[in-house]
Amino acid sequence: MEDNKNFKGPLIIALQYNDIFDLHSISTSTNTDAEPLPKGRAFTFIKAVQTVNEKLVSKNKTESLLFEVILYAKECSEQIKMKIVESVKHYGLEIGKFYFCKKEELMNTLQLHKVKLFLSTDGDDIYRALHTGIPAALLYDQADQNASDQLKIIFSGDIIGFSEDSLDSLSHFGFSETQIQTFKAAKTCMKEFIVLMGEMRRRFGHENSPLCICLITAWGSRNVCAFALKTLRELGLDVDEVFCMAGAPCGPILAVVKPQILWDGGLHTLKDMSTQS
C-alpha cells in the first residue's frame, strides 16, 4: 500500500463500458449511428461522483484528492469503440481515460494504471480482481436514473470484522482455501481505498455531505459488527449508518439505502445478498 500521506490523487475508479451503456437493448432497438448508446446502470454512480468532485473543488480550487473515472472495454469492435467515445461526449460524462484491451489482459491493465477501485456488475470479474489483489466491489443496480446525487458506499463487516484466525475458521463452513485467501487479499487491498475515502469524507461535515458511508453485517454477530466499525474508524473512515442484520435479510436495507457501491470482499454470493427479501 502506498504512503497515503504523500498521495496526490486522483483516486482512480475503473468501470467497464457495458456497465455505463445498456448494450443489450441496442440489438433489438432502432438505435442508429446518430443516436448515443442507451444509459446503463452506472449513470447514477458517475453523476454522484461528479457531484462529489464539484463540491470538493468548490471548497478548495487546488484540491487533488478527486475521483477520476476511467473506462475499460474488452473485445469490442471499432464501431462500438467510436460509439462509446461519442456517447460519453453526448451525455457530458467526465471520463478521464479510455482503455481498450483483451479480456485476458484486464487484470494486468488495472494493476498497471494503479486503479484504487474496480467496479463491476460481473461477480466473476470482481472475484478475479480481489484474488489478484485489486480492490473491487459490486456496482449496485440503480434502476432510478433520477436517484439522489449522494454517493453511497456500503462496506460489508462480515469480512472487515473478522480477524485473520477467524477467516481461517471459515473452512469449517465449506469455504475452500483459495476462497479464504481471496477474502484475506480483499481485506488487505481495500485498506488504501478505505483510508483515502476517510480523508475525502472528512472534507465535508456530517450535514448535507455528498458522501454517505454505511456498514452492514449480513450474518456476523454484534461483536463482528462492532469490530468492523472499530477497524474502519482506526483507518480514519467515519461511518454514517450501521446495520447489524445477524442473519436477517439484507434486501430491505439495500432497497432503502440504494448504494451505488457494495463491497463484500467476495464473501457472499453478490446476487443472493442483493436480492434477499
Side-chain angles (χ1 to χ4, degrees):
M1 188 173 74
E2 296 180 11
D3 183 356
N4 292 296
K5 292 181 180 179
N6 298 321
F7 184 81
K8 299 299 182 183
L11 197 160
I12 299 175
I13 296 183
L15 292 171
Q16 298 187 80
Y17 77 101
N18 53 311
D19 288 327
I20 294 184
F21 301 114
D22 181 8
L23 300 185
H24 297 291
S25 66
I26 64 175
S27 60
T28 57
S29 73
T30 58
N31 185 272
T32 67
D33 289 340
E35 295 176 335
L37 294 170
K39 295 180 181 180
R41 71 167 67 185
F43 258 71
T44 56
F45 164 75
I46 295 177
K47 189 176 174 183
V49 162
Q50 291 180 180
T51 297
V52 173
N53 282 349
E54 288 167 5
K55 293 196 174 183
L56 284 169
V57 172
S58 70
K59 287 177 170 289
N60 179 6
K61 292 183 179 180
T62 62
E63 178 64 69
S64 62
L65 184 57
L66 300 169
F67 289 113
E68 179 181 344
V69 177
I70 62 177
L71 187 62
Y72 287 85
K74 301 179 295 184
E75 311 292 347
C76 61
S77 66
E78 290 299 321
Q79 182 182 8
I80 289 294
K81 289 179 184 179
M82 291 180 62
K83 288 285 287 183
I84 291 169
V85 175
E86 290 170 357
S87 298
V88 165
K89 291 179 179 178
H90 172 83
Y91 291 116
L93 303 180
E94 296 177 2
I95 304 296
K97 297 180 181 69
F98 298 84
Y99 295 101
F100 300 96
C101 62
K102 295 179 180 179
K103 184 176 181 179
E104 61 270 17
E105 296 173 345
L106 177 61
M107 296 303 145
N108 287 336
T109 307
L110 292 171
Q111 289 180 315
L112 178 65
H113 296 111
K114 298 182 179 180
V115 168
K116 302 303 180 188
L117 185 66
F118 169 55
L119 288 178
S120 179
T121 55
D122 187 325
D124 290 337
D125 277 348
I126 293 170
Y127 192 83
R128 285 174 55 222
L130 292 173
H131 190 65
T132 309
I134 299 168
L138 175 71
L139 179 65
Y140 197 69
D141 191 11
Q142 289 280 334
D144 183 5
Q145 297 294 339
N146 296 313
S148 168
D149 286 349
Q150 190 178 46
L151 179 59
K152 298 180 180 180
I153 304 173
I154 290 186
F155 291 96
S156 169
D158 293 302
I159 285 290
I160 298 173
F162 274 130
S163 65
E164 291 291 306
D165 291 340
S166 296
L167 286 173
D168 287 330
S169 70
L170 289 176
S171 60
H172 301 304
F173 295 92
F175 292 100
S176 68
E177 181 61 29
T178 299
Q179 289 173 316
I180 292 172
Q181 291 306 313
T182 298
F183 302 154
K184 291 181 178 180
K187 186 174 180 179
T188 299
C189 70
M190 279 299 290
K191 285 183 179 178
E192 183 179 13
F193 178 76
I194 290 171
V195 170
L196 293 173
M197 286 307 303
E199 290 186 19
M200 189 178 285
R201 180 67 183 84
R202 289 193 295 277
R203 302 285 204 274
F204 304 102
H206 290 289
E207 298 294 330
N208 300 318
S209 171
L211 277 171
C212 178
I213 308 297
C214 302
L215 174 69
I216 188 169
T217 50
W219 48 263
S221 66
R222 290 185 190 176
N223 289 339
V224 170
C225 187
F227 187 78
L229 182 60
K230 179 174 179 288
T231 299
L232 291 178
R233 285 175 173 169
E234 287 175 348
L235 290 171
L237 180 60
D238 289 332
V239 176
D240 297 288
E241 296 182 90
V242 180
F243 307 96
C244 182
M245 306 309 294
C250 294
I253 296 296
L254 297 176
V256 171
V257 176
K258 295 181 180 178
Q260 289 94 349
I261 300 174
L262 174 59
W263 182 87
D264 79 338
L267 178 60
H268 308 284
T269 301
L270 296 174
K271 181 179 178 182
D272 290 346
M273 184 175 181
S274 61
T275 59
Q276 283 179 334
S277 59

